[in-house]
Amino acid sequence: MLAAQGGHMDPSFSKQFDVQAVLEDGKRPVQFGTNVLAGLIEGIDKFRRDLDQQRRSKSLGPAMLGAFLWVDDAELLQRIAEFPAACVVVSKQPRGKYHAERLRKVAEAVQDAAGLPTWAFSELEELRFHQDGKAPVLGPGSPQERVRLPALRTLGYRKAGNHLVPILHTKMLLLGELWWHDEDALGGVADVTGFTPHRLWLGSANGTGSSRRSLEFGLWLDDPDLLKAARRFLVEVLAHSENLDPDSNDLTPDLVVPDYDDEAMWEAMAALADHDADEHDSGDGV
């Protein structure tokens, strides 16, 4: 359908294309047509309501992981910013006045967001931000550091001129729950944090306001194997991500595995063992 506005024809799709359905037990809504981001927003809100009603004693609340070509939809940015724990990765943007302004606006929209704790993911908890491009060196006296990722990150290669580069082209959002436990896998006393995925949104639509006008599809899924695979993929995306507007034009993660000062570590362990032995001997003599 073409609507006349100010003497010009404004192209838009009719609601006749819009189709909504629910799969199986009613927990898997599917949407085809225009404005499929409305279904994404509705699903995010419903997940938070459901989790609030079901929250267990050791729950740390909802968490969100996502990957899109680009995100600028106001409602979606608001949900990301307000989520207790969230990190969404977008494809690395070109440099230039237009893209700089786009980046400024989305960064401003999530500037107060909590971000995502990496220590909730075993694959990420060891990683640290590099220092001048080098892995930090950790020793026995190094302060314990926990990395929290910003709500928006970027991944990939920056396009320059007509040179084609591979891009992050997924449109997906994974919702789950953070939790804590006071025992490790071996039953020892520990402060353990983890993430359990619950619902996955897949679609053809970018997280952009303009996608609402196009014919797209989006659906929510909760198959356990699919959730596990999506988690694995998105954690890998997070591990290789960079800040929202990095200087690098190539895939250059700013998260790295630190180097450890092994000699200093062994010396500290030996000193601790000697100290324990001295205390034991002193106790025997009492």
Side-chain angles (χ1 to χ4, degrees), residues 247-267:
D247 290 332
S248 65
N249 291 326
D250 297 323
L251 181 64
T252 311
D254 56 16
L255 291 168
V256 295
V257 176
D259 289 330
Y260 293 95
D261 188 337
D262 294 332
E263 184 175 351
M265 292 285 193
W266 280 112
E267 290 177 355

Side-chain angles (χ1 to χ4, degrees), residues 16-265:
Q16 290 175 293
F17 290 98
D18 295 352
V19 176
Q20 297 187 29
V22 178
L23 304 181
E24 296 184 15
D25 54 6
K27 295 182 180 179
R28 300 175 180 85
V30 181
Q31 188 176 358
F32 300 92
T34 60
N35 198 23
V36 302
L37 285 192
L40 173 58
I41 300 302
E42 182 180 347
I44 293 172
D45 294 344
K46 184 178 186 303
F47 176 75
R48 291 197 65 173
R49 291 194 303 269
D50 291 347
L51 198 61
D52 284 341
Q53 294 172 2
Q54 304 166 6
R55 185 177 297 185
R56 298 177 293 276
S57 61
K58 293 187 177 181
S59 172
L60 296 176
M64 170 195 295
L65 286 66
F68 288 87
L69 175 64
W70 181 242
V71 173
D72 66 12
D73 182 77
E75 281 193 288
L76 181 54
L77 286 172
Q78 181 183 10
R79 297 310 189 277
I80 296 170
E82 293 176 348
F83 229 67
C87 184
V88 174
V89 182
V90 298
S91 193
K92 188 175 291 183
Q93 299 297 297
R95 284 279 170 81
K97 183 177 180 180
Y98 168 71
H99 288 93
E101 180 64 13
R102 293 209 314 170
L103 286 167
R104 184 193 66 79
K105 288 181 178 179
V106 299
E108 196 173 83
V110 299
Q111 62 183 352
D112 297 324
L116 186 76
T118 59
W119 59 91
F121 304 87
S122 59
E123 305 94 328
L124 303 177
E125 61 180 341
E126 187 184 9
L127 300 181
R128 299 291 183 269
F129 287 114
H130 65 63
Q131 298 174 355
D132 297 324
K134 298 180 180 179
V137 179
L138 303 184
S142 300
Q144 185 177 13
E145 181 185 1
R146 284 186 156 185
V147 174
R148 184 178 286 271
L149 296 177
L152 285 180
R153 302 269 288 168
T154 192
L155 175 80
Y157 303 86
R158 180 176 284 119
K159 182 178 180 181
N162 294 323
H163 180 62
L164 295 178
V165 295
I167 58 176
L168 176 65
H169 203 247
T170 54
K171 292 91 174 178
M172 58 191 299
L173 202 70
L174 182 64
L175 302 180
E177 182 178 16
L178 295 178
W179 49 265
W180 70 274
H181 205 285
D182 53 9
E183 292 184 0
D184 59 24
L186 300 177
V189 177
D191 184 10
V192 180
T193 304
F195 168 79
T196 300
H198 289 304
R199 297 179 190 172
L200 174 68
W201 184 87
L202 296 176
S204 64
N206 279 314
T208 60
S210 62
S211 74
R212 291 178 181 260
R213 302 194 304 270
S214 299
L215 296 182
E216 308 276 6
F217 81 91
L219 69 160
W220 285 98
L221 300 164
D222 58 7
D223 176 81
D225 290 334
L226 182 60
L227 293 177
K228 186 183 299 184
R231 177 200 177 280
R232 180 179 176 185
F233 169 76
L234 287 169
V235 168
E236 196 67 30
V237 168
L238 291 175
H240 288 83
S241 65
E242 302 173 67
N243 66 48
L244 193 55
D245 187 24
D247 290 332
S248 65
N249 291 326
D250 297 323
L251 181 64
T252 311
D254 56 16
L255 291 168
V256 295
V257 176
D259 289 330
Y260 293 95
D261 188 337
D262 294 332
E263 184 175 351
M265 292 285 193

